Amino acid sequence: MTRRIIVIGAGPAGTLLSCYLARRGFQVDVYERRPDPRLLDEDESRSINLGLSARGIKALDDLGLMETLRPLVVPMRGRAIHLPGGALPFQPYGAHEGEILHSVLRRDLITTLVDHAEAQPGVRFHFGHRLVELDREAAAVRLVTGEDEEVTAAGDAVIGADGVFSRVRAHMQRGLRADFHQEFLEWGYKELTIPAADDGSPRTRLEALHVWPGEDALIVAHPNRDNSLTGTLFLPFERFDEITDPERFLAERFPDTRELMLYLAKEFAEHPVGHLVSVRTSVWHHRDRVALIGDACHAVYPFYGQGMNSALEDCTVLDRCLGDHPDDLGAAFAAYQRLRKPHTDVLDELSKQNFVELRDRLRSPLHLARKKVDLLLARLLPGRWVPLYTMVSHTTIPYGEALDRAERQDALLRGAVTAAGVALAATLALAVRRGRGGRRC
Amino acid sequence: MTRRIIVIGAGPAGTLLSCYLARRGFQVDVYERRPDPRLLDEDESRSINLGLSARGIKALDDLGLMETLRPLVVPMRGRAIHLPGGALPFQPYGAHEGEILHSVLRRDLITTLVDHAEAQPGVRFHFGHRLVELDREAAAVRLVTGEDEEVTAAGDAVIGADGVFSRVRAHMQRGLRADFHQEFLEWGYKELTIPAADDGSPRTRLEALHVWPGEDALIVAHPNRDNSLTGTLFLPFERFDEITDPERFLAERFPDTRELMLYLAKEFAEHPVGHLVSVRTSVWHHRDRVALIGDACHAVYPFYGQGMNSALEDCTVLDRCLGDHPDDLGAAFAAYQRLRKPHTDVLDELSKQNFVELRDRLRSPLHLARKKVDLLLARLLPGRWVPLYTMVSHTTIPYGEALDRAERQDALLRGAVTAAGVALAATLALAVRRGRGGRRC
């Protein structure tokens, strides 16, 4: 008998997972609160950009999806760093060809995924269905439609792919011994556009992630296919209300925004302030009945660009576990949590640290020099010296192993620097002694 | 016009707070999910013991309640530590007369508090009322009774004193940027009785908190007025199911339990396994409409004996803030969170550390010696050297200040020990040199 899985949430993770599940022969029903993204106007859909990196690409590639997506992405070959004095250093993302990121609109990614998933045998989408109740023992759900119609469904298991404020998680964990950590960054964000020039060309280098680092304001911008860029201004929450003249405020900190963000005043007034939340939790599944993927079980701040990539990678890990335990969903879910959670915990830490890097350290010449040393070593010692950023963004080495290896490399480098210092001091001391000896003679 | 406050939860914190609010002229309605504790059989009520210490006593004393309670408590003058070899060292709780704890049954405390509160003008109790909904902007609540009757109420503000899984907190924080941390200890607990002897006398020293420290099992016991003691066995969760012969299991680790815990096998089989949870959260109030006290905003593991004491102390801090802002509940609630949260965050840390102390360190001769040095210094330098445990349990110095001061004392002690070591080494070196010098002559 065909087993049936109910997926709650048709974001990137839920949709991609439905494809993987279909490949394993499951019948899949995907329920999503929002309307079909393919029917929405551009303004209604969440039009933020995402940075696809190796983990997400691998998860899409395994199902042949990257070929469809390729024409929709813009490569980002490194970071363009806007410094206060007007300098615009470029920091390549990797030491090797192909170590780049890809900017994609959430809307383009999700419609591609839904189109592909819907074409798979056994996959059905139900948009405009909001989860009201989950019976975690029966793997049964109750939902309501936009017309207040009530719908029930039951399957062999329910997968919660319903994001950081997951209702599946809340229902599943009720009364269980579940650790739960939710933190909001004290900074919020607002989207600001850098339109293309009148002749259609980009106003600044296109194939890069642009960063305006600063201690009390930070901007990051992703390129779009139409040669515009979408900027995200990060500020401490209280600042958004305090700033009466956003153009002057930004021009003082980042002079070149004046020529780039042409609609700044209007967009600052009209766009809402978004918040950033991180979630860790210790219970990712309930027996063989319910499991969570993506933001529903591990949500991170966006500063390492790994939120969606790690969610897509969840699909490959869960798929592998389903392959290892073909007849036992409970064992598959348990293995998935055991294999995956230690690494997403590490990603949480890394994402928090990278906020500090983007905000404070990108302006430091010492930090930029260290990044160059890292890339130089990576070129000199290919495969043996791999910077942390490279491992996280351009490989599928599990996050925890990447961090361990980076820490070993750091220790080696510190040792080498210390040894070099000692050798230098010894040489100097000998030279001085010889010099003195010379004088004595 | 008399202002009205709705308190949700008639535990120690909610009940004591209603007395404080009545004294400030508020009309108070207290709603509690459970039935009136005064009408319950002894077996139905939660009969656990609590250790009253200075903060709780101060909060009760300010309303003249300690006099009523005094006949219901048993003093605990220190820790009686049951070591594997049969030794039973006694560690006094303080250096000075009166630095003791008081064991009280939760039932005795709560009935005393409810009796007192009900006698205050303007205070009304509504037992058997479960909160269903809170409108945080209107300070309005919807509740249902045991007979499924629906009740609504509204006031100037709602105070959530409804414990670690507070529904007031959940309703109040919905959609707000509230950090939230919930952790479950990997150990659970079960209650075990040490009955009085046949002649009515206690089977072991009564006026002490008894501890059986151990790495894979830990027992703590509080004395009762009838010369029995109530023990709490803490074990890693999975052990509760694995142990088939609890008498042998405990006798191997703690031989004297055989003569003390006479109903061990029966109680082990019948009593449920309790869990221990800690909660920290960043949003304690919503404008002038809702605020939280006690476990609802800060729940700790029980190993420092401060959970209830800190909840009672919340009442005195909130009362003081209401006095400082007599016409502005919003300012009072904000001041209360600002003054209080940094200290309950510290208590969370201390309570986690004390689990390790009880479990692992109480068996260490070095640790016991250090405790003695602490008490000795406290006697030699009265008021100038105060051990951390004394500050937390026998004073009302805010938790954070207590920790800071203890850390300064530790640094001093380490400095003194190092200085003494250096002086000793120097003396030895001089002596050796003289000795050598002597031989040379």
Side-chain angles (χ1 to χ4, degrees), chain A residues 44 58 71 76 173 242 295 310 316 351:
Chain A
E44 288 176 283
K58 172 80 167 58
M76 299 191 290
Q173 292 186 342
E242 289 166 12
D295 280 1
S310 66
T316 68
S351 300

Side-chain angles (χ1 to χ4, degrees), chain A residues 175-186 237 275 280, chain B residues 175-186 237 275 280:
Chain A
L176 300 185
R177 277 189 294 129
D179 290 359
F180 182 71
H181 299 272
Q182 168 178 301
E183 283 177 86
F184 285 82
L185 193 69
E186 317 85 73
F237 262 100
H275 55 223
R280 277 181 299 127
Chain B
L176 299 186
R177 278 188 293 128
D179 289 0
F180 182 70
H181 299 272
Q182 168 178 301
E183 284 177 86
F184 284 82
L185 193 69
E186 318 85 74
F237 262 100
H275 56 221
R280 276 182 299 126

Side-chain angles (χ1 to χ4, degrees), chain A residues 15 18-19 36-39 65 68 72 107-120 123 125 127:
Chain A
T15 312
S18 71
C19 304
D36 189 333
R38 296 166 298 185
L39 307 179
L65 271 155
T68 322
L72 304 176
R107 177 197 170 84
D108 287 343
L109 175 69
I110 199 73
T111 54
T112 305
L113 281 170
V114 172
D115 279 342
H116 182 87
E118 227 174 27
Q120 307 307 309
V123 177
F125 279 84
F127 290 99

Side-chain angles (χ1 to χ4, degrees), chain A residues 339-408:
Chain A
L339 283 173
R340 188 63 176 153
K341 179 173 154 51
H343 298 296
T344 54
D345 283 351
V346 167
L347 177 62
D348 186 52
E349 277 312 306
L350 292 177
S351 300
K352 283 173 181 162
Q353 286 166 19
N354 236 36
F355 173 54
V356 181
E357 163 149 351
L358 287 179
R359 195 186 57 185
D360 304 341
R361 294 174 59 202
L362 274 194
R363 284 181 169 185
S364 143
L366 198 71
H367 179 71
L368 297 178
R370 169 63 214 266
K371 283 272 169 189
K372 280 191 186 151
V373 169
D374 245 356
L375 286 183
L376 183 67
L377 285 168
R379 279 201 198 97
L380 293 174
L381 307 165
R384 287 167 54 212
W385 187 277
V386 191
L388 178 59
Y389 188 88
T390 301
M391 286 190 276
V392 168
S393 301
H394 307 313
T395 79
T396 56
I397 299 171
Y399 296 115
E401 288 171 30
L403 181 63
D404 286 348
R405 184 163 166 186
E407 282 172 352
R408 284 199 304 275

Side-chain angles (χ1 to χ4, degrees), chain A residues 304-326:
Chain A
Y304 222 115
Q306 285 293 313
M308 182 202 47
N309 286 289
S310 66
L312 298 180
E313 196 176 43
D314 284 354
C315 300
T316 68
V317 177
L318 179 53
D319 178 65
R320 197 170 357 121
C321 295
L322 289 168
D324 291 345
H325 306 275

